[in-house]
Amino acid sequence: MSSRLVSPLSVVASVSLMVAGCVPALPQGAARAPNTEVPDAFGGALDTSNSALVDWHDFFEDPQLVALIDVALENNQELNILVQEMLVTQSEIRARRGDYLPRLGIGGGAGIERVGEHSSQGRSDEQAGLRQDLQDYRVGLFASWEVDIWRQLRNLRDAAVNRYLASVEGRNFMVTRLVAEIANLYYELLALDARQEVITNSIALQETALELVRAQLQSARVTSLAVTRFEAQLRGFQANQYEIAQAIVERENRLNFLLGRFPQPIPRSSADFLSRQPMVVSAGLPTQLLENRPDVRQAELLLEASSLDVRAARARFYPALRLEAGVGLHSYNIRQLISPGSIVYNLFANILAPLFNRNDITAQYFASNARQMQAVIVYEQAILGAYVEVMTSLSRINNLRSMFELKEMQVARLTESIEISNNLFNSARADYLEVLTTRRDALEAQIELIEIRRLQLSAAVEVYRALGGGWRTGDDATEGSTAPGSTQDSAESTAGGEQ
């Protein structure tokens, strides 16, 4: 009896294994390993210190800017949306874990059945003295379990874990961008305040000069054309005030939006803007970008998830073993339902393997491999983009430093030339056009100097962001980076349940 059962099962298993061995070849070949090689340094001497490991509370010295960032990290809507997306991917881990664990359920039912008199069942019921309208009562436990022989289900679970970790890195990347944007907007406001102060001082000087020119017109020392030109330049300066005022409103509104609140004044320290020194940034080693940049870490995790998806898709070509069992009570008489004679049970083991028309799983297998190859390219692109951003920002810092020094000397000379031109004009040794041109050039140079200082501050912020700084706080900043894979177990534990 047993040999008759074993022989068919052996045949089915053998045929299934033979069929499963016919996994189709990938049209483009298997995805290659990513190229993670980067240059040894950022174009200069090796620097082991890295500003990306510095907590942003310590990187930014302005307490009002730090307070704004704190509010943004708490209330920013886009950041909170990403938190909800993290919870969605975390729930996916729980769902994938449930796929490879045994399922146990309880059920019951009651009904009535009438069979034909001329059927075999009807004849049997008639000989047994049973009614034609036969009642049916049942209650019991049932269980099923797909044995994960080829790790298909566990690979899908691990892929879900990596996607959850990638969503965490996505949030971290959003934090770095948010911190950088708030800092840049804050420095733009300081620069606009400084420009407003320069314009205000220029207006005061121009009004004084206009009164002097009008007095000279009364004494016939100048013509009305000089008065007209001085007044026209004054109106231009006054118009600039409103342009700057509008720019301040726009920056304040954008900052308040990032802070998740309605428009209100932004507290800031605007005094001595030109004396504010840019933050000192240490670039570290290019290889540290792989650990410090959240977008690079996110791309790496998504690549690992896509690799697991390919393994799971390949496992679908192999035979699947499914166990099903049930135990309960079944009777046509409710009074006899709870009795030894009503006990029923079953146990089945099914082995299934795809044989013909495997287009669906073949297409999914090919698509999974293509997505893995795509993830390889995205990961390499993230590494390249990170390195280029750091190099560009470091170069900007060096060039802006030289620009500021030269522009500072230009402003000093033009400031001296204003007094010289006034003296020459009052002694009739220079015409009014020279005075107007000198004042205009001095004002433009002062504004350009303020803009260069703002660009210096923003360049330091951009290097900090490009290095992957801004998302670490507390112990994360002092202890350094954590490899993505090391948090996998903690990620699974947050989804609940035992492995």
Side-chain angles (χ1 to χ4, degrees), residues 202-458:
S202 298
I203 289 175
L205 292 174
Q206 190 70 6
E207 287 175 340
T208 302
L210 179 60
E211 293 300 324
L212 292 175
V213 172
R214 284 173 175 170
Q216 291 178 349
L217 177 64
Q218 297 296 327
S219 60
R221 295 180 57 188
V222 297
T223 64
S224 60
L225 180 60
V227 175
T228 304
R229 293 296 299 271
F230 269 81
E231 185 175 358
Q233 191 174 69
L234 173 63
R235 301 307 175 220
F237 291 166
Q238 291 173 335
N240 288 339
Q241 277 188 310
Y242 294 99
E243 180 183 0
I244 295 174
Q246 177 60 29
I248 291 175
V249 170
E250 292 175 0
R251 302 307 188 278
E252 285 187 329
N253 288 346
R254 175 60 183 171
L255 260 176
N256 283 306
F257 175 79
L258 294 177
L259 269 58
R261 65 189 188 188
F262 289 100
Q264 56 185 275
I266 298 294
R268 53 189 181 270
S269 305
S270 302
D272 300 325
F273 177 73
L274 289 176
S275 62
R276 185 183 289 260
Q277 295 298 317
M279 295 74 69
V280 178
V281 184
S282 300
L285 301 176
T287 53
Q288 293 175 317
L289 291 174
L290 304 181
E291 296 180 351
N292 296 332
R293 286 270 302 215
D295 58 329
V296 175
R297 289 158 59 104
Q298 182 184 32
E300 180 184 4
L301 289 163
L302 291 177
L303 172 58
E304 179 61 26
S306 64
S307 175
L308 293 167
D309 287 338
V310 173
R311 299 178 199 173
R314 182 183 180 87
R316 293 188 63 189
F317 290 100
Y318 300 119
L321 174 61
R322 185 177 184 86
L323 304 178
E324 296 181 357
V327 61
L329 301 172
H330 188 194
S331 175
Y332 60 84
N333 189 334
I334 193 172
R335 295 186 182 90
Q336 299 175 351
L337 181 62
I338 305 178
S339 65
S342 298
I343 296 176
V344 295
Y345 64 87
N346 60 68
L347 178 63
F348 294 98
N350 300 318
I351 299 179
L352 299 175
L355 185 59
F356 298 110
N357 194 8
R358 303 188 301 176
N359 291 332
D360 179 38
I361 59 176
T362 300
Q364 291 188 28
Y365 179 47
F366 289 173
S368 298
N369 185 71
R371 282 191 288 268
Q372 184 184 3
M373 296 180 69
Q374 183 183 46
V376 169
I377 299 172
V378 170
Y379 182 39
E380 293 175 342
Q381 184 184 43
I383 296 174
L384 177 61
Y387 181 83
V388 170
E389 283 185 5
V390 174
M391 283 293 295
T392 302
S393 299
L394 291 174
S395 175
R396 184 182 297 116
I397 286 179
N398 294 330
N399 289 325
L400 286 173
R401 184 187 303 115
S402 301
M403 288 175 60
F404 186 84
E405 293 173 356
L406 294 173
K407 185 62 68 172
E408 199 172 25
M409 289 190 290
Q410 180 190 17
V411 169
R413 295 298 178 267
L414 287 173
T415 302
E416 294 175 4
S417 66
I418 290 177
E419 184 177 357
I420 295 174
S421 65
N422 287 337
N423 293 333
L424 292 175
F425 178 72
N426 292 332
S427 61
R429 296 171 61 188
D431 60 22
Y432 65 90
L433 289 177
E434 292 178 289
V435 176
L436 294 176
T437 302
T438 301
R439 294 193 177 202
R440 183 192 62 207
D441 292 344
L443 176 61
E444 291 177 353
Q446 286 180 301
I447 292 177
E448 289 174 359
L449 183 66
I450 292 171
E451 180 64 13
I452 293 174
R453 177 62 87 195
R454 183 194 71 80
L455 291 175
Q456 282 185 294
L457 294 167
S458 295

Side-chain angles (χ1 to χ4, degrees), residues 170-192:
R171 178 195 174 276
N172 291 339
F173 186 51
M174 175 61 194
V175 170
T176 64
R177 291 185 296 164
L178 181 62
V179 169
E181 185 174 2
I182 290 174
N184 285 330
L185 286 171
Y186 182 79
Y187 292 137
E188 284 184 26
L189 280 175
L190 299 186
L192 288 170

